[in-house]
Amino acid sequence: MRRIIATLTGATMAALIVPTLVTVAPASAKAVRTTQATAADPVSALKRQFRTHRGVKLAENTKIVGEGKKNRAIFTRRSGVLEFGRTGLVASDLTTKFSLPLPDSDELKGLFTPSRTLSLKGVSYTSGGVFAESMPEGKKWLRTPGDTLSLVSAVQQIISTVEPGTLRTTLAHTRAKRPGGTWDGTRTTVHSGTITLAELFKVSPAVRTLLGRKPTGRSATLPVTWKIYLGSDQLVRRVVSSYTESTRGLNSTELTYVNDTRYTGWGTKVTIKAPPADQVADFDELIGDTTQPEDPIGEIFKG
């Protein structure tokens, strides 16, 4: 259950140190060409954002649809900020809200209450969410240890383009390019293609955290269709992905996930801090029955 809670709570924020300006001699033609090539590389453009106390704002919509007569849909909205360090993502501050197709189900409503999660230094702190009513008096944040800061959950974007390796590998599967309109004040080019879950598992720390183990069989070859919108500065402005997961044997249905993520304000100043210690509780301090369904999303589409 702790893995489910960890995947249903996300986390992100960012920060940059502005480099000192220096006077340099005119660059050679070869150096100019090298700089231009680097500027045209989305992975290099991303890595240049990896500076202390700088980050990017995130806004994401997810739709989960069941098949056939049970084609109800769950909608989620996630927003907040990601913080970078010199090597990549180091912290996040994300708020998640749900819109459920079963307004009369108090139990399921409790599982999908709005939540805010701060993640930093290998720990996540969640306020609200599934265990909100089980918190001891005076405590607001539930602490969840974790080895990897993850942007991915079953209801969130599976292609984490703030990971250089994931961005590089995904773009290597580009099958088409076309103008993508204007996003975050810049004209974009949209790259589109398909990548398998096994390929994502190999390159993405976030996906490895989500799955816990290497996908095999049909899961390994599960196709994830994607679109990545790159601005004129080669930074990602939008990511749209979709995949269909078979849950037959659990609740006899298939679920299609469509994730649409927008990135704005690259270079935003960010400093994410842990909540006050006197407002934090651990799992062993929770009050009452904390048992939850193993497959809460599947429960909604059951039958």
Side-chain angles (χ1 to χ4, degrees):
M1 182 58 208
R2 294 188 183 185
R3 174 171 295 280
I4 292 176
I5 299 307
T7 59
L8 288 178
T9 61
T12 51
M13 280 191 101
L16 294 172
I17 294 177
V18 179
T20 302
L21 297 178
V22 296
T23 301
V24 296
S28 66
K30 181 178 180 180
V32 170
R33 288 195 298 271
T34 300
T35 300
Q36 291 173 340
T38 300
D41 176 9
V43 174
S44 296
L46 172 63
K47 287 183 176 180
R48 286 197 295 273
Q49 300 298 310
F50 293 167
R51 300 180 182 179
T52 306
H53 298 309
R54 297 281 175 172
V56 65
K57 298 176 184 178
L58 176 149
E60 182 175 285
N61 295 324
T62 297
K63 182 178 181 180
I64 308 174
V65 184
E67 65 175 351
K69 295 181 179 179
K70 297 295 182 180
N71 62 346
R72 306 183 181 104
I74 300 174
F75 296 92
T76 74
R77 290 177 174 81
R78 190 171 63 137
S79 61
V81 62
L82 313 181
E83 181 176 347
F84 299 127
R86 292 183 180 278
T87 59
L89 182 66
V90 297
S92 63
D93 181 351
L94 296 173
T95 296
T96 302
K97 298 180 180 180
F98 294 85
S99 176
L100 297 177
L102 299 178
D104 57 337
S105 175
D106 292 336
E107 179 185 1
L108 291 176
K109 270 186 176 181
L111 289 172
F112 294 97
T113 55
S115 65
R116 178 186 176 191
T117 299
L118 310 176
S119 294
L120 65 162
K121 297 180 180 179
V123 180
S124 290
Y125 304 88
T126 300
S127 178
V130 64
F131 290 129
E133 296 184 0
S134 301
M135 295 290 286
E137 185 176 356
K139 304 291 185 178
K140 181 180 179 181
W141 299 89
L142 178 63
R143 176 165 41 206
T144 308
D147 296 331
T148 303
L149 180 63
S150 175
L151 295 182
V152 182
S153 85
V155 294
Q156 295 163 0
Q157 181 62 257
I158 196 169
I159 297 179
S160 179
T161 53
V162 295
E163 298 172 343
T166 301
L167 178 59
R168 178 187 296 108
T169 300
T170 303
L171 287 175
H173 288 73
T174 297
R175 292 183 177 178
K177 291 190 293 184
R178 61 177 176 78
T182 300
W183 298 96
D184 190 30
T186 182
R187 299 177 74 94
T188 65
T189 299
V190 56
H191 297 235
S192 59
T194 302
I195 189 170
T196 67
L197 188 60
E199 289 169 319
L200 283 173
F201 183 90
K202 183 177 180 179
V203 298
S204 174
V207 171
R208 290 195 291 271
T209 297
L210 169 66
L211 298 182
R213 60 182 178 181
K214 184 177 181 179
T216 58
R218 288 186 178 180
S219 294
T221 58
L222 177 74
V224 179
T225 301
W226 56 269
K227 295 179 182 178
I228 295 177
Y229 294 68
L230 296 175
S232 56
D233 54 5
Q234 295 301 294
L235 291 172
V236 176
R237 292 318 200 282
R238 184 183 181 193
V239 183
V240 181
S241 69
S242 65
Y243 62 96
T244 298
E245 176 187 40
S246 175
T247 56
R248 297 187 184 283
L250 292 175
N251 49 41
S252 299
T253 191
E254 290 184 345
L255 303 178
T256 297
Y257 297 76
V258 182
N259 308 94
D260 189 340
T261 305
R262 319 287 174 87
Y263 294 100
T264 60
W266 285 96
T268 295
K269 292 183 178 180
V270 181
T271 301
I272 298 174
K273 298 180 179 180
D278 61 357
Q279 296 182 17
V280 176
D282 294 309
F283 272 101
D284 57 8
E285 299 177 66
L286 296 181
I287 300 170
D289 183 10
T290 58
T291 303
Q292 306 293 343
E294 286 295 324
D295 183 22
I297 293 176
E299 285 291 320
I300 294 175
F301 297 95
K302 191 175 180 179

Short mmCIF file of all heavy atoms in Angstrom, two decimals, residues 27-53:
data_model
loop_
_atom_site.label_atom_id
_atom_site.label_comp_id
_atom_site.label_asym_id
_atom_site.label_seq_id
_atom_site.Cartn_x
_atom_site.Cartn_y
_atom_site.Cartn_z
N ALA A 27 35.30 34.08 -30.52
CA ALA A 27 35.36 32.63 -30.71
C ALA A 27 35.75 32.31 -32.15
O ALA A 27 35.47 33.06 -33.08
CB ALA A 27 33.99 32.02 -30.40
N SER A 28 36.40 31.18 -32.29
CA SER A 28 36.76 30.72 -33.63
C SER A 28 35.51 30.24 -34.34
O SER A 28 34.47 29.98 -33.72
CB SER A 28 37.76 29.57 -33.54
OG SER A 28 37.15 28.45 -32.93
N ALA A 29 35.58 30.09 -35.65
CA ALA A 29 34.43 29.62 -36.42
C ALA A 29 34.01 28.23 -35.96
O ALA A 29 32.82 27.92 -35.86
CB ALA A 29 34.79 29.59 -37.91
N LYS A 30 35.02 27.39 -35.64
CA LYS A 30 34.71 26.03 -35.17
C LYS A 30 33.97 26.08 -33.85
O LYS A 30 33.00 25.36 -33.64
CB LYS A 30 35.99 25.23 -35.03
CG LYS A 30 35.75 23.79 -34.56
CD LYS A 30 37.05 23.02 -34.48
CE LYS A 30 36.80 21.58 -34.02
NZ LYS A 30 38.06 20.81 -33.94
N ALA A 31 34.42 26.98 -32.95
CA ALA A 31 33.76 27.10 -31.65
C ALA A 31 32.33 27.59 -31.81
O ALA A 31 31.42 27.15 -31.11
CB ALA A 31 34.55 28.04 -30.75
N VAL A 32 32.12 28.53 -32.75
CA VAL A 32 30.77 29.04 -32.99
C VAL A 32 29.87 27.93 -33.48
O VAL A 32 28.73 27.78 -33.04
CB VAL A 32 30.81 30.20 -34.02
CG1 VAL A 32 29.39 30.56 -34.46
CG2 VAL A 32 31.50 31.41 -33.41
N ARG A 33 30.39 27.11 -34.39
CA ARG A 33 29.58 26.00 -34.90
C ARG A 33 29.25 25.03 -33.79
O ARG A 33 28.14 24.50 -33.70
CB ARG A 33 30.32 25.28 -36.03
CG ARG A 33 30.38 26.08 -37.33
CD ARG A 33 30.79 25.18 -38.48
NE ARG A 33 32.12 24.61 -38.30
CZ ARG A 33 33.24 25.18 -38.70
NH1 ARG A 33 33.18 26.38 -39.31
NH2 ARG A 33 34.40 24.61 -38.51
N THR A 34 30.19 24.76 -32.90
CA THR A 34 29.95 23.86 -31.78
C THR A 34 28.88 24.41 -30.85
O THR A 34 27.99 23.69 -30.41
CB THR A 34 31.25 23.64 -30.97
OG1 THR A 34 32.23 23.08 -31.84
CG2 THR A 34 31.00 22.70 -29.80
N THR A 35 28.95 25.73 -30.57
CA THR A 35 27.96 26.36 -29.71
C THR A 35 26.58 26.28 -30.34
O THR A 35 25.58 25.99 -29.66
CB THR A 35 28.33 27.83 -29.46
OG1 THR A 35 29.60 27.88 -28.83
CG2 THR A 35 27.29 28.52 -28.58
N GLN A 36 26.50 26.53 -31.65
CA GLN A 36 25.22 26.46 -32.32
C GLN A 36 24.65 25.06 -32.29
O GLN A 36 23.44 24.86 -32.10
CB GLN A 36 25.38 26.93 -33.78
CG GLN A 36 25.67 28.44 -33.90
CD GLN A 36 25.98 28.84 -35.31
OE1 GLN A 36 26.35 27.99 -36.14
NE2 GLN A 36 25.84 30.13 -35.60
N ALA A 37 25.50 24.06 -32.45
CA ALA A 37 25.03 22.67 -32.42
C ALA A 37 24.51 22.34 -31.03
O ALA A 37 23.49 21.67 -30.88
CB ALA A 37 26.17 21.73 -32.82
N THR A 38 25.23 22.81 -29.99
CA THR A 38 24.79 22.55 -28.63
C THR A 38 23.45 23.21 -28.35
O THR A 38 22.56 22.63 -27.72
CB THR A 38 25.84 23.07 -27.63
OG1 THR A 38 27.06 22.40 -27.86
CG2 THR A 38 25.40 22.82 -26.19
N ALA A 39 23.30 24.47 -28.86
CA ALA A 39 22.06 25.19 -28.63
C ALA A 39 20.88 24.49 -29.29
O ALA A 39 19.74 24.64 -28.86
CB ALA A 39 22.19 26.62 -29.16
N ALA A 40 21.15 23.73 -30.35
CA ALA A 40 20.08 23.06 -31.08
C ALA A 40 19.74 21.70 -30.49
O ALA A 40 18.88 21.00 -31.01
CB ALA A 40 20.47 22.92 -32.54
N ASP A 41 20.41 21.32 -29.42
CA ASP A 41 20.23 20.01 -28.81
C ASP A 41 19.31 20.13 -27.59
O ASP A 41 19.67 20.79 -26.61
CB ASP A 41 21.60 19.47 -28.40
CG ASP A 41 21.50 18.15 -27.66
OD1 ASP A 41 20.40 17.57 -27.62
OD2 ASP A 41 22.53 17.71 -27.12
N PRO A 42 18.13 19.50 -27.60
CA PRO A 42 17.19 19.62 -26.48
C PRO A 42 17.77 19.12 -25.16
O PRO A 42 17.48 19.69 -24.10
CB PRO A 42 16.01 18.75 -26.91
CG PRO A 42 16.07 18.75 -28.40
CD PRO A 42 17.53 18.77 -28.74
N VAL A 43 18.60 18.08 -25.20
CA VAL A 43 19.18 17.56 -23.96
C VAL A 43 20.16 18.57 -23.37
O VAL A 43 20.17 18.81 -22.15
CB VAL A 43 19.87 16.20 -24.20
CG1 VAL A 43 20.59 15.73 -22.94
CG2 VAL A 43 18.84 15.16 -24.64
N SER A 44 20.99 19.18 -24.21
CA SER A 44 21.91 20.21 -23.73
C SER A 44 21.15 21.42 -23.19
O SER A 44 21.54 22.01 -22.17
CB SER A 44 22.86 20.65 -24.85
OG SER A 44 23.68 19.57 -25.27
N ALA A 45 20.07 21.79 -23.87
CA ALA A 45 19.26 22.91 -23.41
C ALA A 45 18.67 22.62 -22.04
O ALA A 45 18.63 23.50 -21.16
CB ALA A 45 18.14 23.19 -24.41
N LEU A 46 18.23 21.38 -21.83
CA LEU A 46 17.70 20.99 -20.52
C LEU A 46 18.78 21.04 -19.45
O LEU A 46 18.57 21.60 -18.36
CB LEU A 46 17.12 19.57 -20.60
CG LEU A 46 16.70 18.93 -19.27
CD1 LEU A 46 15.58 19.73 -18.61
CD2 LEU A 46 16.29 17.47 -19.48
N LYS A 47 19.95 20.50 -19.74
CA LYS A 47 21.02 20.46 -18.76
C LYS A 47 21.48 21.86 -18.34
O LYS A 47 21.94 22.04 -17.21
CB LYS A 47 22.20 19.65 -19.30
CG LYS A 47 21.93 18.15 -19.35
CD LYS A 47 23.16 17.39 -19.84
CE LYS A 47 22.94 15.89 -19.80
NZ LYS A 47 24.14 15.14 -20.27
N ARG A 48 21.34 22.82 -19.25
CA ARG A 48 21.70 24.19 -18.89
C ARG A 48 20.76 24.79 -17.85
O ARG A 48 21.08 25.79 -17.22
CB ARG A 48 21.75 25.08 -20.13
CG ARG A 48 22.97 24.83 -21.01
CD ARG A 48 23.18 25.98 -21.97
NE ARG A 48 22.10 26.08 -22.93
CZ ARG A 48 22.06 25.41 -24.08
NH1 ARG A 48 23.05 24.58 -24.41
NH2 ARG A 48 21.04 25.56 -24.91
N GLN A 49 19.62 24.15 -17.66
CA GLN A 49 18.67 24.60 -16.64
C GLN A 49 19.01 24.04 -15.25
O GLN A 49 18.42 24.45 -14.25
CB GLN A 49 17.25 24.17 -17.01
CG GLN A 49 16.75 24.72 -18.33
CD GLN A 49 16.68 26.23 -18.32
OE1 GLN A 49 16.12 26.84 -17.42
NE2 GLN A 49 17.26 26.86 -19.34
N PHE A 50 19.95 23.11 -15.19
CA PHE A 50 20.29 22.45 -13.93
C PHE A 50 21.23 23.34 -13.10
O PHE A 50 22.44 23.16 -13.11
CB PHE A 50 20.92 21.08 -14.19
CG PHE A 50 19.97 20.08 -14.80
CD1 PHE A 50 20.45 18.89 -15.35
CD2 PHE A 50 18.62 20.31 -14.83
CE1 PHE A 50 19.59 17.97 -15.90
CE2 PHE A 50 17.73 19.39 -15.39
CZ PHE A 50 18.23 18.22 -15.92
N ARG A 51 20.66 24.30 -12.42
CA ARG A 51 21.39 25.21 -11.56
C ARG A 51 20.63 25.38 -10.24
O ARG A 51 19.40 25.27 -10.21
CB ARG A 51 21.57 26.57 -12.24
CG ARG A 51 22.33 26.47 -13.56
CD ARG A 51 22.48 27.83 -14.20
NE ARG A 51 23.16 27.75 -15.49
CZ ARG A 51 23.41 28.79 -16.26
NH1 ARG A 51 23.04 30.00 -15.87
NH2 ARG A 51 24.03 28.64 -17.42
N THR A 52 21.36 25.66 -9.20
CA THR A 52 20.78 25.71 -7.86
C THR A 52 19.69 26.77 -7.75
O THR A 52 19.86 27.90 -8.19
CB THR A 52 21.89 25.98 -6.83
OG1 THR A 52 22.92 25.02 -6.99
CG2 THR A 52 21.33 25.91 -5.42
N HIS A 53 18.57 26.36 -7.14
CA HIS A 53 17.43 27.25 -6.88
C HIS A 53 16.83 27.85 -8.14
O HIS A 53 16.39 29.00 -8.14
CB HIS A 53 17.83 28.35 -5.88
CG HIS A 53 18.22 27.82 -4.55
ND1 HIS A 53 17.45 26.92 -3.84
CD2 HIS A 53 19.34 28.05 -3.80
CE1 HIS A 53 18.06 26.63 -2.71
NE2 HIS A 53 19.21 27.29 -2.67
#
